[in-house]
Amino acid sequence: MKQEFFTLGSFEFPADVQIIKGKLEAEGIQVFLRDENTINSDPLISSAIGGVKLQVYTTDMERAKLIFDEVRNYATDMEGKPIVCPNCKAERSEIYYSRSSVFYKLFPFFEPKKYRCTSCNFITKPES
Ligand SMILES: [Zn+2]
């Protein structure tokens, strides 16, 4: 039987992938990573090729999606409340790094924190 793959997501940093991969494998789902070797040998080109793609068999797709949704850390504010998207009111935002300039690539901790809504891709910039 020919197996088809489903791409669960792509990740800029191999460390993020390892967390999700570990969780899926703990649930007995076989995980395949693409492009990881290229990234490890040269991290600067990872965004150019879209990062590491995490794939599962399509037969595991539904289960993998559920686990992925649980594992994914949605961004919260200082009090631990979920960040609410001002555009669609969803409470599922991730921390977003644009890393648009060379400066932020070298010093990512100087970049102001932003959030990206996983429902509508709206970028929120919280007031500080
Ligand atoms: Zn939204």
Side-chain angles (χ1 to χ4, degrees):
M1 188 183 126
K2 189 172 166 284
Q3 288 278 14
E4 303 278 343
F5 294 102
F6 170 76
T7 302
L8 201 56
S10 23
F11 304 86
E12 195 176 346
F13 303 105
D16 297 341
V17 178
Q18 293 307 326
I19 295 169
I20 314 266
K21 180 174 179 278
K23 190 76 183 177
L24 289 169
E25 285 178 343
E27 299 289 331
I29 294 175
Q30 211 172 342
V31 175
F32 304 88
L33 302 181
R34 310 292 182 199
D35 300 329
E36 195 184 29
N37 293 336
T38 325
I39 288 162
N40 284 338
S41 59
D42 187 356
L44 288 178
I45 64 165
S46 77
S47 51
I49 61 168
V52 181
K53 288 184 182 59
L54 193 153
Q55 296 187 318
V56 297
Y57 288 131
T58 45
T59 45
D60 290 327
M61 177 175 74
E62 292 308 323
R63 231 153 43 95
K65 275 187 191 167
L66 286 177
I67 296 164
F68 180 48
D69 255 11
E70 274 173 32
V71 176
R72 220 187 322 190
N73 288 319
Y74 293 109
T76 52
D77 64 16
M78 301 292 279
E79 290 162 358
K81 294 186 189 125
I83 301 295
V84 179
C85 171
N87 187 43
C88 73
K89 307 292 182 234
E91 295 187 353
R92 294 186 157 203
S93 294
E94 324 175 292
I95 294 175
Y96 172 82
Y97 302 98
S98 57
R99 294 215 172 83
S100 46
S101 73
V102 172
F103 178 80
Y104 287 141
K105 278 200 173 73
L106 295 174
F107 306 101
F109 36 86
F110 281 128
E111 186 178 24
K113 205 189 242 180
K114 290 179 206 154
Y115 302 101
R116 185 181 70 83
C117 175
T118 58
S119 301
C120 71
N121 290 330
F122 189 84
I123 308 289
T124 313
K125 190 172 179 295
E127 287 118 82
S128 44

